[in-house]
Amino acid sequence: MNPLIPQERHHPDEGPGDGTLAVRAGLPEPVKHEPTLPGPVFAAHFHLPGEPTGPYTYGRDENPTWTHLERAIGTLEAPGETGVETVVFASGMAAISAVLLSQLSAGDAVVLPTDGYQALPLLHEQLRAYGIEVRTAPTGGDAQLNVLDGARLLWIETPSNPGLDVCDIRRLVAAAHAGGALVAVDNTLATPLGQRPLELGADFSVASDTKGMTGHGDVLLGHVSCRDPLRAAEVRRWRKIVGAIPGPMEAWLAHRSLATLQLRVDRQCATALELARVLAERPDVTGLRHPGLPEDPSHAIAARQMRRFGSVISFELADRARAERFLEELRLVDDATSFGGVRSSAERRGRWGGDAVAEGFVRFSVGAEDPEDLIADVLRALDTARDAVG
């Protein structure tokens, strides 16, 4: 598939296309008079006479609604494979924490990105408190290779949030595995339709499904997918210990939302690239980043490993005042955190602290609005902010 044309048709001999996979993933075998996607199962316990065997015993361990969702996500993470296991969590941070804390012990070393999600430094503190060595390096230039020697786990976030740098997953995986390290990839920004870390050799594919996977800004969820059943069991055991389980309603809403994943992602990615091209012509916009732009520093690597370039754009305006006025003037864009939703959102990322960004740095998440309307709104807001603030 040409990443610049995500809606390009596939040949049936290649297997089901992304839209077909998204619509059908995780559905049970049809039963007469039953819904195609069964409703959420609300149960703290299940009938369990005799010995405690079988798939469903207690609500903290398993739930049929999770099972359908986990199978669906596994289908999207590795189409055509039967050995991939997925574990869903109450949030993306719960999924991230489960991998790190189930795979690392005192005396181990972990390599994390310096430019990753802003909650990662909170994990740094906790990992160090457990006697784990934390090493950091930027995503760009595959810089994590420089601090990999002797590490137990390499954590990759590509594209990075919010700076949108990209690293070569295959290269980092090869080096990590050669040194005996596991590799986890935070795939939140790309989604499995944009990038499949397991196919690129990673041991774990992790995501906050709060973002693009569910896409409506109304569900907190995360997941971990991996091929190794022992690793999956360790992650699942951690979920049981800490109780970081999703509610059945959230899991059902997430599964329902997956059916439109390809429709949403194609629209959002195409509009994001179109908007990025327009912003590239603006003298008042600097530091523009989007992996789909041929002139972007990450484009060459992204084009080799990504199937779609994502719905997020980052750029800088002159200062804090200009950025805040720009956000105030937008009519079709919510001033909100998070990304990947059907409604466009944007924020001045520096307001949170924790990210090494300029005061005028804007992270823009493109939604499913008509491209012409969205672009017109952005250009009008930029003009107004420029004329008002100077």
Side-chain angles (χ1 to χ4, degrees), residues 80-104:
E81 294 192 33
T82 58
V84 172
E85 294 192 39
T86 296
V87 186
V88 292
F89 288 85
S91 69
M93 280 305 299
I96 290 170
S97 300
V99 173
L100 291 170
L101 296 173
S102 70
Q103 301 303 309
L104 296 169

Side-chain angles (χ1 to χ4, degrees), residues 111-117 120 135-147 154-169 171-172 184-186 195 289 291 297-298 301 305:
V111 177
L112 297 163
T114 56
D115 52 344
Y117 181 51
L120 283 180
R135 306 173 189 169
T136 60
T139 298
D142 297 342
Q144 290 173 294
L145 288 173
N146 300 326
V147 293
L154 168 62
W155 187 275
I156 297 170
E157 185 178 308
T158 180
S160 61
N161 171 31
L164 302 182
D165 267 325
V166 171
C167 60
D168 188 332
I169 296 176
R171 183 186 181 202
L172 268 68
V185 177
D186 186 330
Q195 182 172 265
R289 297 300 303 271
S298 292
I301 296 174
Q305 67 189 23

Side-chain angles (χ1 to χ4, degrees), residues 7-8 39-40 83 86 108 116 135 139 153-154 179 199 204 218 234 237 246-247 257 294 315 383:
Q7 52 274 67
E8 183 178 86
T86 296
D108 288 339
R135 306 173 189 169
T139 298
L153 176 67
L154 168 62
E199 291 183 356
F204 301 94
D218 54 8
E234 291 165 349
R237 178 176 179 272
S257 297
F315 57 90
D383 289 341

Side-chain angles (χ1 to χ4, degrees), residues 62-63 65-71 73-74 85-91 94-95 207 209 221-225 235-236 239 244-247 251 254:
E62 294 292 346
N63 179 290
T65 309
W66 304 350
T67 300
H68 294 315
L69 176 61
E70 288 172 344
R71 289 173 180 169
I73 294 174
E85 294 192 39
T86 296
V87 186
V88 292
F89 288 85
S91 69
D209 301 317
L221 203 80
H223 81 267
V224 177
S225 293
V235 170
R236 188 171 285 107
R239 180 180 69 180
I245 59 173

